[in-house]
Amino acid sequence: MAPVKVGINGFGRIGRMVFQALCDQGLLGTAVDVVGVVDMSTDADYFAYQMKYDSIHGRFKHDVKTEKSDACAAEADTLIVNGNKIKCVMATRNPEDLPWGKLGVEVVIESTGIFTEADKARGHIKAGCKKVIISAPGKGDLKTIVMGVNHEQYEASMDVVSNASCTTNCLAPLVHVLLKEGLGVEKGLMTTIHSYTATQKTVDGPSKKDWRGGRAAAINIIPSATGAAKAVGEVLPVVKGKLTGMAFRVPTPDVSVVDLTFLAEKDTSIKEIDELMKKAAGSYMKGILGVTDEELVSTDFIHDNRSSIYDSLATLQNNLPGEKRMFKIVSWYDNEWGYSNRVVDLLCHMTGCKK
C-alpha cells in the first residue's frame, strides 16, 4: 500500500504536534507522506527551529534539515525530516487556492482553527484533496469522531470530519464507559480546568465579545464557555441534552483536567466506578483511556499520548442515606499531545494506513 499523501493547513501548536506524532509513531515516510505544510510564512528554517525546540515537549527526536526548491529563492522553503521532503506553502484566505492537486494530497489536516465550518473546509477538496480532518470542533454537515468512542461510525463516503475538541476527547471516553457498563448518565455538569492557549492574551487586551477572555492569561483564572460537554451528545446521542459545562482557563501552559459531576441512572459506588474504568483502560479503551492511582499533578501528564487519564484518588460522592447515584469523577489530559495523537489515529482509521 502506497503511503497516504497528507497536507497540514496551519503549522501552529496542533499542526506541529500532529506532525511530530506522525514521526514518533514511525508513520512518516512509511505509511504517511506529509508533502506540504501551510502557514503565514514559507521560511523552512524557522519551521525547523520551531520543531527542534519546544518549551513544553522538549527537543524534537528526529533529523531536520532544510533546502531551497529553487536555487534563486531568497530562503529555504522545503523541510527535510528523516529524509522526507515537505514543501512549505504560503497560507491563503481561501483553501481552494492551495496546491493540493499539484502536490497529490489525499487528506488535509485542517489546523488553522479558521476553516471549521464544513463548507469552508470543503475548499480543500475543491483544491484537489479527497478528505479533510478538522482538528477542532466542526460546524455544519459533517461527522464528529472521537477515537475509541464512535470511530466505527465513520463511513468512506464522509469527506469532512471533525476530531472534536481536546476536552471532548477527554470527557467522551468517561461517559462512554459509564454507558457501556450500564451505569448510565441521567444528567451531569462538567468543568474543565484548562491551560491557556495561543488565542489568549499575554497582557490585558481587547476582547469585545468575551471581556474576561481579554485578561492576561498567565496571571488569571479566567471563566470561559465551552461546548465540549454538549458535543459529547453529538458523539453519544443517548446523552444529548443531559450534559453541559464550562471552562476555567488557568495559568499553566499545557495539561488540563475534566471534572464531571453526574447523576447515574442506577445505584453504584466509587469502588465499582474505579473497577469499570480500570477494566476499560486495560481492554476496549486501551491507549485512549488511562488510570492513575498516584498523587500526581498536571506536569506529570505532559506528553502523555492518551486522551483521558482517570484519577481514581479524586472520585467523590454526595449521597444521602439510601442514595447511591451522585458522583464526581476527574480525568487528566495533555490537551496538545494526547489530542494530536488522536488526529493521527483518526487519519489512520480513515485511510487504512498501518503503524
Side-chain angles (χ1 to χ4, degrees):
M1 181 176 177
V4 178
K5 291 189 175 182
V6 171
I8 301 176
N9 189 42
F11 211 48
R13 292 304 297 163
I14 298 303
R16 291 198 304 276
M17 288 296 104
V18 169
F19 183 85
Q20 183 173 333
L22 285 166
C23 295
D24 287 2
Q25 291 189 29
L27 293 166
L28 186 70
T30 55
V32 175
D33 280 342
V34 177
V35 295
V37 296
V38 180
D39 212 273
M40 299 305 294
S41 166
T42 59
D43 186 351
D45 288 326
Y46 182 52
F47 288 165
Y49 166 77
Q50 288 181 298
M51 285 192 298
K52 284 181 181 179
Y53 308 106
D54 191 283
S55 301
I56 302 302
H57 300 281
R59 298 287 184 95
F60 192 57
K61 303 178 183 68
H62 308 273
D63 180 64
V64 184
K65 299 174 183 176
T66 65
E67 72 174 20
K68 297 179 182 180
S69 59
D70 183 344
C72 299
E75 60 187 21
D77 64 355
T78 303
L79 284 166
I80 306 174
V81 180
N82 293 342
N84 299 276
K85 292 188 176 184
I86 302 108
K87 179 73 174 174
C88 301
V89 180
M90 181 69 72
T92 69
R93 293 185 179 184
N94 188 349
E96 294 182 34
D97 297 330
L98 292 168
W100 300 138
K102 181 179 178 181
L103 294 172
V105 169
E106 298 168 77
V107 181
V108 168
I109 310 296
E110 169 48 56
S111 293
T112 64
I114 299 173
F115 306 108
T116 56
E117 293 181 16
D119 288 344
K120 291 182 179 179
R122 287 191 175 97
H124 292 296
I125 294 172
K126 292 178 181 178
C129 79
K130 297 177 181 177
K131 295 183 181 292
V132 180
I133 298 173
I134 301 173
S135 65
K139 300 175 184 177
D141 179 23
L142 52 72
K143 183 72 174 177
T144 297
I145 302 288
V146 173
M147 293 301 296
V149 177
N150 74 330
H151 61 280
E152 293 179 353
Q153 295 175 13
Y154 169 76
E155 297 176 3
S157 61
M158 296 175 182
D159 58 353
V160 177
V161 298
S162 163
N163 195 58
S165 71
C166 53
T167 303
T168 301
N169 271 266
C170 179
L171 177 60
L174 302 173
V175 177
H176 180 55
V177 173
L178 296 174
L179 297 175
K180 184 177 177 68
E181 299 298 338
L183 300 184
V185 175
E186 185 173 310
K187 58 183 176 180
L189 288 167
M190 180 221 70
T191 301
T192 177
I193 299 89
H194 198 293
S195 293
Y196 54 67
T197 66
T199 60
Q200 291 179 253
K201 311 289 184 180
T202 53
V203 297
D204 287 4
S207 182
K208 191 171 183 180
K209 290 184 179 180
D210 177 16
W211 289 10
R212 290 195 279 202
R215 304 297 296 277
I219 58 170
N220 285 298
I221 297 173
I222 303 176
S224 180
T226 176
K230 290 183 179 179
V232 173
E234 300 301 319
V235 177
L236 296 166
V238 70
V239 296
K240 192 166 187 175
K242 296 181 179 181
L243 296 173
T244 190
M246 66 174 296
F248 286 99
R249 294 294 182 93
V250 297
T252 56
D254 187 32
V255 178
S256 304
V257 61
V258 154
D259 165 346
L260 173 64
T261 300
F262 70 100
L263 191 66
E265 291 181 337
K266 61 172 285 188
D267 288 351
T268 184
S269 65
I270 292 176
K271 181 180 178 182
E272 183 180 19
I273 291 171
D274 281 354
E275 289 175 349
L276 294 177
M277 292 295 172
K278 289 174 182 176
K279 170 191 169 185
S283 56
Y284 61 91
M285 295 296 286
K286 190 172 184 179
I288 303 293
L289 178 68
V291 175
T292 179
D293 56 7
E294 296 183 89
E295 303 275 0
L296 302 182
V297 296
S298 61
T299 56
D300 298 319
F301 298 99
I302 290 175
H303 216 67
D304 194 309
N305 63 13
R306 294 169 291 184
S307 299
S308 186
I309 304 98
Y310 167 75
D311 192 328
S312 67
L313 300 182
T315 306
L316 297 173
Q317 62 178 323
N318 188 17
N319 292 299
L320 297 174
E323 298 177 346
K324 298 180 181 179
R325 294 202 295 143
M326 189 173 182
F327 296 88
K328 178 191 290 289
I329 58 179
V330 169
S331 198
W332 301 89
Y333 59 114
D334 184 324
N335 46 277
E336 294 183 340
W337 187 241
Y339 181 81
S340 297
N341 275 269
R342 294 298 82 75
V343 173
V344 172
D345 291 349
L346 177 55
L347 170 67
C348 289
H349 180 67
M350 290 170 60
T351 62
C353 64
K354 302 295 184 181
K355 298 181 182 180

